[in-house]
Amino acid sequence: MSEYEKAMRPEEITRLFVERSNAGDAAGVAALYEEDAVVAYPPGGQTTGRQAIRTLWEKVLADGPCFEPEPPLPTLVSGEIALTSTIAKDGAGVRVQVVRRQPDGSWLRLLDQPELAPTP
């Protein structure tokens, strides 16, 4: 994996995700995840592992979507684990991630729920 800018605060992962996605950099998006991370995507399914996440994002980014930055909601931190979230600008509800501090002090996504719509 190439050297990418690291998220030194949990909230920075969202910014890095938007920048890399808009650049069409699936490898860069995958670098934001731990090796055994789990993403609840595609809807109704799960993608497990950094390589599978990269493959998923190669497919998604092939259509050239444009992502907008979403301001983070307050982050909850407990030791080496944090919960980050944003309100989706595209109407998908909220986006929620569990991130973990790495030995070098940076943060990576462990669990990612990119579309969590409120139930009626």
Side-chain angles (χ1 to χ4, degrees), residues 13-33:
I13 295 177
T14 299
R15 173 186 59 83
L16 294 171
F17 171 86
V18 170
E19 290 173 2
R20 294 173 191 183
S21 294
N22 289 342
D25 185 359
V29 170
L32 297 170
Y33 292 85

PDB file of all heavy atoms in Angstrom, residues 13-33:
ATOM      1  N   ILE A  13     -11.106  11.160   8.882  1.00  0.00           N
ATOM      2  CA  ILE A  13     -11.324  10.079   7.923  1.00  0.00           C
ATOM      3  C   ILE A  13     -12.389  10.467   6.911  1.00  0.00           C
ATOM      4  O   ILE A  13     -12.259  10.166   5.718  1.00  0.00           O
ATOM      5  CB  ILE A  13     -11.678   8.755   8.638  1.00  0.00           C
ATOM      6  CG1 ILE A  13     -10.482   8.287   9.469  1.00  0.00           C
ATOM      7  CG2 ILE A  13     -12.085   7.687   7.630  1.00  0.00           C
ATOM      8  CD1 ILE A  13     -10.738   7.039  10.278  1.00  0.00           C
ATOM      9  N   THR A  14     -13.418  11.162   7.338  1.00  0.00           N
ATOM     10  CA  THR A  14     -14.485  11.569   6.415  1.00  0.00           C
ATOM     11  C   THR A  14     -13.937  12.483   5.327  1.00  0.00           C
ATOM     12  O   THR A  14     -14.229  12.295   4.147  1.00  0.00           O
ATOM     13  CB  THR A  14     -15.631  12.246   7.186  1.00  0.00           C
ATOM     14  OG1 THR A  14     -16.177  11.312   8.120  1.00  0.00           O
ATOM     15  CG2 THR A  14     -16.726  12.712   6.249  1.00  0.00           C
ATOM     16  N   ARG A  15     -13.130  13.454   5.701  1.00  0.00           N
ATOM     17  CA  ARG A  15     -12.537  14.370   4.716  1.00  0.00           C
ATOM     18  C   ARG A  15     -11.664  13.605   3.733  1.00  0.00           C
ATOM     19  O   ARG A  15     -11.748  13.792   2.514  1.00  0.00           O
ATOM     20  CB  ARG A  15     -11.710  15.455   5.413  1.00  0.00           C
ATOM     21  CG  ARG A  15     -10.928  16.348   4.423  1.00  0.00           C
ATOM     22  CD  ARG A  15     -10.008  17.324   5.132  1.00  0.00           C
ATOM     23  NE  ARG A  15      -9.013  16.717   5.996  1.00  0.00           N
ATOM     24  CZ  ARG A  15      -7.836  16.224   5.562  1.00  0.00           C
ATOM     25  NH1 ARG A  15      -7.530  16.231   4.283  1.00  0.00           N
ATOM     26  NH2 ARG A  15      -6.974  15.720   6.428  1.00  0.00           N
ATOM     27  N   LEU A  16     -10.825  12.714   4.253  1.00  0.00           N
ATOM     28  CA  LEU A  16      -9.936  11.937   3.399  1.00  0.00           C
ATOM     29  C   LEU A  16     -10.733  11.030   2.461  1.00  0.00           C
ATOM     30  O   LEU A  16     -10.385  10.864   1.286  1.00  0.00           O
ATOM     31  CB  LEU A  16      -8.959  11.126   4.245  1.00  0.00           C
ATOM     32  CG  LEU A  16      -7.960  11.958   5.049  1.00  0.00           C
ATOM     33  CD1 LEU A  16      -7.186  11.064   6.013  1.00  0.00           C
ATOM     34  CD2 LEU A  16      -7.021  12.725   4.135  1.00  0.00           C
ATOM     35  N   PHE A  17     -11.817  10.460   2.972  1.00  0.00           N
ATOM     36  CA  PHE A  17     -12.685   9.625   2.145  1.00  0.00           C
ATOM     37  C   PHE A  17     -13.234  10.426   0.965  1.00  0.00           C
ATOM     38  O   PHE A  17     -13.195   9.975  -0.184  1.00  0.00           O
ATOM     39  CB  PHE A  17     -13.831   9.042   2.975  1.00  0.00           C
ATOM     40  CG  PHE A  17     -14.869   8.365   2.139  1.00  0.00           C
ATOM     41  CD1 PHE A  17     -14.716   7.038   1.768  1.00  0.00           C
ATOM     42  CD2 PHE A  17     -15.977   9.055   1.688  1.00  0.00           C
ATOM     43  CE1 PHE A  17     -15.660   6.411   0.969  1.00  0.00           C
ATOM     44  CE2 PHE A  17     -16.922   8.443   0.892  1.00  0.00           C
ATOM     45  CZ  PHE A  17     -16.766   7.121   0.529  1.00  0.00           C
ATOM     46  N   VAL A  18     -13.754  11.609   1.229  1.00  0.00           N
ATOM     47  CA  VAL A  18     -14.333  12.444   0.164  1.00  0.00           C
ATOM     48  C   VAL A  18     -13.261  12.824  -0.856  1.00  0.00           C
ATOM     49  O   VAL A  18     -13.472  12.703  -2.070  1.00  0.00           O
ATOM     50  CB  VAL A  18     -15.011  13.701   0.764  1.00  0.00           C
ATOM     51  CG1 VAL A  18     -15.385  14.697  -0.332  1.00  0.00           C
ATOM     52  CG2 VAL A  18     -16.243  13.303   1.562  1.00  0.00           C
ATOM     53  N   GLU A  19     -12.103  13.262  -0.382  1.00  0.00           N
ATOM     54  CA  GLU A  19     -11.026  13.655  -1.296  1.00  0.00           C
ATOM     55  C   GLU A  19     -10.603  12.495  -2.195  1.00  0.00           C
ATOM     56  O   GLU A  19     -10.469  12.648  -3.411  1.00  0.00           O
ATOM     57  CB  GLU A  19      -9.814  14.154  -0.506  1.00  0.00           C
ATOM     58  CG  GLU A  19     -10.034  15.487   0.174  1.00  0.00           C
ATOM     59  CD  GLU A  19      -8.895  15.887   1.095  1.00  0.00           C
ATOM     60  OE1 GLU A  19      -7.880  15.157   1.196  1.00  0.00           O
ATOM     61  OE2 GLU A  19      -9.016  16.960   1.732  1.00  0.00           O
ATOM     62  N   ARG A  20     -10.392  11.332  -1.611  1.00  0.00           N
ATOM     63  CA  ARG A  20      -9.916  10.182  -2.382  1.00  0.00           C
ATOM     64  C   ARG A  20     -10.997   9.640  -3.311  1.00  0.00           C
ATOM     65  O   ARG A  20     -10.700   9.248  -4.444  1.00  0.00           O
ATOM     66  CB  ARG A  20      -9.399   9.104  -1.438  1.00  0.00           C
ATOM     67  CG  ARG A  20      -8.160   9.582  -0.702  1.00  0.00           C
ATOM     68  CD  ARG A  20      -7.718   8.625   0.360  1.00  0.00           C
ATOM     69  NE  ARG A  20      -6.690   9.251   1.207  1.00  0.00           N
ATOM     70  CZ  ARG A  20      -6.080   8.645   2.184  1.00  0.00           C
ATOM     71  NH1 ARG A  20      -6.367   7.387   2.483  1.00  0.00           N
ATOM     72  NH2 ARG A  20      -5.175   9.297   2.905  1.00  0.00           N
ATOM     73  N   SER A  21     -12.231   9.622  -2.849  1.00  0.00           N
ATOM     74  CA  SER A  21     -13.331   9.154  -3.701  1.00  0.00           C
ATOM     75  C   SER A  21     -13.486  10.069  -4.911  1.00  0.00           C
ATOM     76  O   SER A  21     -13.613   9.593  -6.049  1.00  0.00           O
ATOM     77  CB  SER A  21     -14.640   9.106  -2.922  1.00  0.00           C
ATOM     78  OG  SER A  21     -14.574   8.127  -1.917  1.00  0.00           O
ATOM     79  N   ASN A  22     -13.485  11.364  -4.685  1.00  0.00           N
ATOM     80  CA  ASN A  22     -13.650  12.308  -5.785  1.00  0.00           C
ATOM     81  C   ASN A  22     -12.474  12.280  -6.751  1.00  0.00           C
ATOM     82  O   ASN A  22     -12.617  12.661  -7.914  1.00  0.00           O
ATOM     83  CB  ASN A  22     -13.909  13.714  -5.253  1.00  0.00           C
ATOM     84  CG  ASN A  22     -15.290  13.839  -4.644  1.00  0.00           C
ATOM     85  OD1 ASN A  22     -16.172  13.014  -4.888  1.00  0.00           O
ATOM     86  ND2 ASN A  22     -15.494  14.866  -3.848  1.00  0.00           N
ATOM     87  N   ALA A  23     -11.320  11.808  -6.297  1.00  0.00           N
ATOM     88  CA  ALA A  23     -10.152  11.648  -7.169  1.00  0.00           C
ATOM     89  C   ALA A  23     -10.174  10.289  -7.884  1.00  0.00           C
ATOM     90  O   ALA A  23      -9.284   9.994  -8.685  1.00  0.00           O
ATOM     91  CB  ALA A  23      -8.869  11.791  -6.356  1.00  0.00           C
ATOM     92  N   GLY A  24     -11.170   9.447  -7.581  1.00  0.00           N
ATOM     93  CA  GLY A  24     -11.261   8.124  -8.194  1.00  0.00           C
ATOM     94  C   GLY A  24     -10.233   7.143  -7.657  1.00  0.00           C
ATOM     95  O   GLY A  24      -9.911   6.156  -8.306  1.00  0.00           O
ATOM     96  N   ASP A  25      -9.737   7.378  -6.451  1.00  0.00           N
ATOM     97  CA  ASP A  25      -8.648   6.584  -5.868  1.00  0.00           C
ATOM     98  C   ASP A  25      -9.194   5.502  -4.936  1.00  0.00           C
ATOM     99  O   ASP A  25      -9.251   5.675  -3.716  1.00  0.00           O
ATOM    100  CB  ASP A  25      -7.699   7.518  -5.113  1.00  0.00           C
ATOM    101  CG  ASP A  25      -6.468   6.822  -4.568  1.00  0.00           C
ATOM    102  OD1 ASP A  25      -6.324   5.589  -4.746  1.00  0.00           O
ATOM    103  OD2 ASP A  25      -5.641   7.521  -3.945  1.00  0.00           O
ATOM    104  N   ALA A  26      -9.585   4.366  -5.511  1.00  0.00           N
ATOM    105  CA  ALA A  26     -10.142   3.265  -4.709  1.00  0.00           C
ATOM    106  C   ALA A  26      -9.108   2.711  -3.732  1.00  0.00           C
ATOM    107  O   ALA A  26      -9.451   2.351  -2.603  1.00  0.00           O
ATOM    108  CB  ALA A  26     -10.656   2.156  -5.617  1.00  0.00           C
ATOM    109  N   ALA A  27      -7.847   2.652  -4.132  1.00  0.00           N
ATOM    110  CA  ALA A  27      -6.801   2.177  -3.224  1.00  0.00           C
ATOM    111  C   ALA A  27      -6.658   3.126  -2.043  1.00  0.00           C
ATOM    112  O   ALA A  27      -6.471   2.690  -0.903  1.00  0.00           O
ATOM    113  CB  ALA A  27      -5.467   2.042  -3.956  1.00  0.00           C
ATOM    114  N   GLY A  28      -6.772   4.418  -2.298  1.00  0.00           N
ATOM    115  CA  GLY A  28      -6.694   5.399  -1.225  1.00  0.00           C
ATOM    116  C   GLY A  28      -7.870   5.310  -0.272  1.00  0.00           C
ATOM    117  O   GLY A  28      -7.721   5.460   0.938  1.00  0.00           O
ATOM    118  N   VAL A  29      -9.059   5.039  -0.810  1.00  0.00           N
ATOM    119  CA  VAL A  29     -10.231   4.841   0.047  1.00  0.00           C
ATOM    120  C   VAL A  29     -10.011   3.601   0.906  1.00  0.00           C
ATOM    121  O   VAL A  29     -10.217   3.630   2.122  1.00  0.00           O
ATOM    122  CB  VAL A  29     -11.524   4.716  -0.787  1.00  0.00           C
ATOM    123  CG1 VAL A  29     -12.691   4.269   0.086  1.00  0.00           C
ATOM    124  CG2 VAL A  29     -11.844   6.033  -1.471  1.00  0.00           C
ATOM    125  N   ALA A  30      -9.572   2.509   0.299  1.00  0.00           N
ATOM    126  CA  ALA A  30      -9.348   1.263   1.040  1.00  0.00           C
ATOM    127  C   ALA A  30      -8.296   1.439   2.129  1.00  0.00           C
ATOM    128  O   ALA A  30      -8.368   0.788   3.181  1.00  0.00           O
ATOM    129  CB  ALA A  30      -8.947   0.145   0.087  1.00  0.00           C
ATOM    130  N   ALA A  31      -7.338   2.331   1.925  1.00  0.00           N
ATOM    131  CA  ALA A  31      -6.286   2.579   2.915  1.00  0.00           C
ATOM    132  C   ALA A  31      -6.832   3.216   4.189  1.00  0.00           C
ATOM    133  O   ALA A  31      -6.134   3.257   5.209  1.00  0.00           O
ATOM    134  CB  ALA A  31      -5.191   3.458   2.320  1.00  0.00           C
ATOM    135  N   LEU A  32      -8.074   3.670   4.160  1.00  0.00           N
ATOM    136  CA  LEU A  32      -8.702   4.252   5.349  1.00  0.00           C
ATOM    137  C   LEU A  32      -9.304   3.186   6.268  1.00  0.00           C
ATOM    138  O   LEU A  32      -9.839   3.509   7.322  1.00  0.00           O
ATOM    139  CB  LEU A  32      -9.806   5.237   4.941  1.00  0.00           C
ATOM    140  CG  LEU A  32      -9.326   6.452   4.144  1.00  0.00           C
ATOM    141  CD1 LEU A  32     -10.516   7.224   3.591  1.00  0.00           C
ATOM    142  CD2 LEU A  32      -8.443   7.341   5.009  1.00  0.00           C
ATOM    143  N   TYR A  33      -9.214   1.928   5.856  1.00  0.00           N
ATOM    144  CA  TYR A  33      -9.813   0.815   6.589  1.00  0.00           C
ATOM    145  C   TYR A  33      -8.748  -0.115   7.146  1.00  0.00           C
ATOM    146  O   TYR A  33      -7.708  -0.328   6.506  1.00  0.00           O
ATOM    147  CB  TYR A  33     -10.732   0.008   5.662  1.00  0.00           C
ATOM    148  CG  TYR A  33     -11.960   0.754   5.236  1.00  0.00           C
ATOM    149  CD1 TYR A  33     -11.933   1.606   4.139  1.00  0.00           C
ATOM    150  CD2 TYR A  33     -13.153   0.623   5.935  1.00  0.00           C
ATOM    151  CE1 TYR A  33     -13.068   2.297   3.742  1.00  0.00           C
ATOM    152  CE2 TYR A  33     -14.285   1.310   5.547  1.00  0.00           C
ATOM    153  CZ  TYR A  33     -14.241   2.153   4.451  1.00  0.00           C
ATOM    154  OH  TYR A  33     -15.366   2.838   4.072  1.00  0.00           O
TER     155      TYR A  33
END
